Amino acid sequence: MEYETPLFFHVMAYAAEADRDVVDMVSGNPDWEPPEALRQGLREYADFDADRFQYPPSEGIRELRAEIAARRGVDVERVVVTNGAGEANYLAMARALERDAGSEVILTDPVYSYYPGKATMLGGTPRYVSAGTDGQLDPADVRALASDETAAIVVNTPNNPTGAVYPESTVRELVAIAEAHDAILVADEVYDHYDLSGTFSSALSVDSDHRIVTNAFSKSLAITGFRVGYGIFPPHLVEDAKSRHMLVNVAGSRPAQYAVLCALRETEPSYYEANRELLRERVDSFTDALDRAGAAYTRPDGAFYVLARFDGYPGTLENVERLIDEAGVAGMPGAAFGETCEPWLRFALVTPRAEEAADRLAAYFA
């Protein structure tokens, strides 16, 4: 089997090896501080007895699972703590495909680059529905593509790479389509704390045994390196998800889970709002500079990415490498996110140098 390997680490390595200063706007690694309570939790953990340095429960420490369950309004037994949202999505797709209820996985185009590879790795067949560069998925298009061969419908809201935030009506329709075809809606909500529009609606707001919600603390707490995520599964799918998680990972990091628990318990809402406001300011300054460059671009309603298009400069890997070498700006090739994005480049606004990067782009394309 040939796997579809995402390009993120290739582009980051290319930028790191460049012979000039490069503004890194490749991957979604927040540049702002994690909550102080998270750092304090790590300090506390260092002084615990040695037994706390051994395996945690495979599905996650009970206190963290209970905190997640209380916040999301679900039973604690439905929560599996995972190795980031990446593993949560893997477990969710696996459970959808293992039910002998079809082998097709409906994905959007544009698509987050890791979804297609997971689908094929698990023996599924990706099928794509266009969401356009604005990312707003029309449920009617999903309904037209869905069939009895549909095992899963995988969506991401707020969306990477488009910044789209699905309204409640779309979420409800997607759950209904999954129910109609005995499929599973996999809703990746990892950017839920970065809803800049105030319109985000979780799939958990719809009561159904045909949806799995995945998430992580990588973005919301600015700790992508901690790899603490979770999946919320229907009762009839959760036990096998726990078993697969145990077989693949044994368990997650106990200190990381404890630190996340401390952060959840002690961090005020103002922490999240300050980070959203920072992103709003960066969106404004970055897109203002893109205006000066004469570029077309998308303005995100959520997450922290901007798609930009420059005349005669399609979003290929070769052009991304040229931008690194000649303009000192590293983004992602739009082609990595599907056919719809081939003319575009994607930039992550998780650097204090975002405006400087846009100025470099303006100068380069002048």
Side-chain angles (χ1 to χ4, degrees):
M1 176 183 293
E2 292 187 5
Y3 296 126
E4 301 171 42
T5 304
L7 293 173
F8 294 98
F9 287 95
H10 170 85
V11 177
M12 286 188 285
Y14 190 91
E17 294 166 3
D19 292 332
R20 59 166 299 161
D21 174 64
V22 176
V23 181
D24 183 354
M25 304 184 76
V26 178
S27 197
N29 294 317
D31 64 287
W32 45 88
E33 279 289 303
E36 176 54 32
L38 184 129
R39 291 184 182 274
Q40 185 58 38
L42 288 176
R43 296 184 190 104
E44 292 174 6
Y45 209 93
D47 293 327
F48 285 160
D49 292 339
D51 64 335
R52 298 284 287 276
F53 287 68
Q54 311 311 318
Y55 293 121
S58 178
E59 66 267 31
I61 62 174
R62 179 78 181 190
E63 297 87 348
L64 178 58
R65 293 171 59 231
E67 185 73 21
I68 294 167
R71 288 167 176 264
R72 305 311 302 267
V74 299
D75 185 271
V76 66
E77 293 305 322
R78 294 174 56 192
V79 178
V80 182
V81 175
T82 60
N83 185 33
E87 192 210 351
N89 289 323
Y90 164 79
L91 293 178
M93 290 188 204
R95 294 303 299 121
L97 287 162
E98 289 167 345
R99 299 170 307 125
D100 294 326
S103 61
E104 294 181 352
V105 179
I106 294 180
L107 304 172
T108 61
D109 180 8
V111 64
Y112 174 54
S113 304
Y114 282 80
Y115 298 157
K118 283 185 170 68
T120 54
M121 181 173 65
L122 290 163
T125 302
R127 300 195 67 193
Y128 294 91
V129 57
S130 176
T133 51
D134 69 355
Q136 283 298 341
L137 186 62
D138 186 342
D141 294 336
V142 180
R143 192 178 294 277
L145 187 60
S147 71
D148 289 344
E149 281 301 307
T150 302
I153 303 165
V154 182
V155 297
N156 172 218
T157 176
N159 184 259
N160 176 10
T162 67
V165 177
Y166 297 169
E168 181 182 0
S169 58
T170 294
V171 175
R172 289 190 173 277
E173 273 296 296
L174 293 174
V175 173
I177 295 166
E179 290 176 337
H181 293 282
D182 190 23
I184 299 295
L185 175 69
V186 179
D188 180 348
E189 299 177 355
V190 71
Y191 296 100
D192 59 351
H193 279 76
Y194 298 103
D195 170 23
L196 307 180
S197 66
T199 61
F200 171 75
S201 181
S202 172
L204 289 173
S205 65
V206 186
D207 186 20
S208 175
D209 281 344
H210 288 265
R211 56 104 174 92
I212 298 170
V213 170
T214 65
N215 210 318
F217 304 102
S218 300
K219 315 296 185 179
S220 60
L221 299 180
I223 51 167
T224 59
F226 276 49
R227 313 311 302 140
V228 181
Y230 63 90
I232 298 175
F233 294 81
H236 69 291
L237 298 179
V238 69
E239 291 306 319
D240 281 345
K242 291 177 182 178
S243 295
R244 182 181 279 262
H245 166 71
M246 184 185 298
L247 290 168
V248 171
N249 283 306
V250 179
S253 164
R254 194 169 197 153
Q257 291 180 50
Y258 178 82
V260 166
L261 175 63
C262 292
L264 292 178
R265 286 175 171 173
E266 299 178 31
T267 302
E268 296 295 327
S270 58
Y271 170 81
Y272 305 103
E273 180 52 39
N275 293 334
R276 285 191 292 271
E277 186 56 34
L278 173 65
L279 279 173
R280 291 186 186 100
E281 293 170 0
R282 287 184 180 175
V283 169
D284 287 342
S285 62
F286 190 72
T287 55
D288 284 349
L290 290 177
D291 279 330
R292 297 195 298 273
Y297 57 83
T298 60
R299 189 176 182 88
D301 288 328
F304 31 73
Y305 307 100
V306 167
L307 291 169
R309 188 181 69 212
F310 301 89
D311 287 343
Y313 203 90
T316 63
L317 177 60
E318 291 76 15
N319 279 342
V320 163
E321 292 176 348
R322 280 179 58 196
L323 270 188
I324 292 170
D325 294 333
E326 299 175 11
V329 179
M332 276 295 292
F337 302 96
E339 293 181 4
T340 300
C341 282
E342 286 180 355
W344 300 76
L345 300 164
R346 194 213 68 174
F347 299 98
L349 304 184
V350 285
T351 169
R353 302 174 68 190
E355 187 173 2
E356 177 188 351
D359 289 339
R360 291 185 180 191
L361 293 172
Y364 184 74
F365 288 106

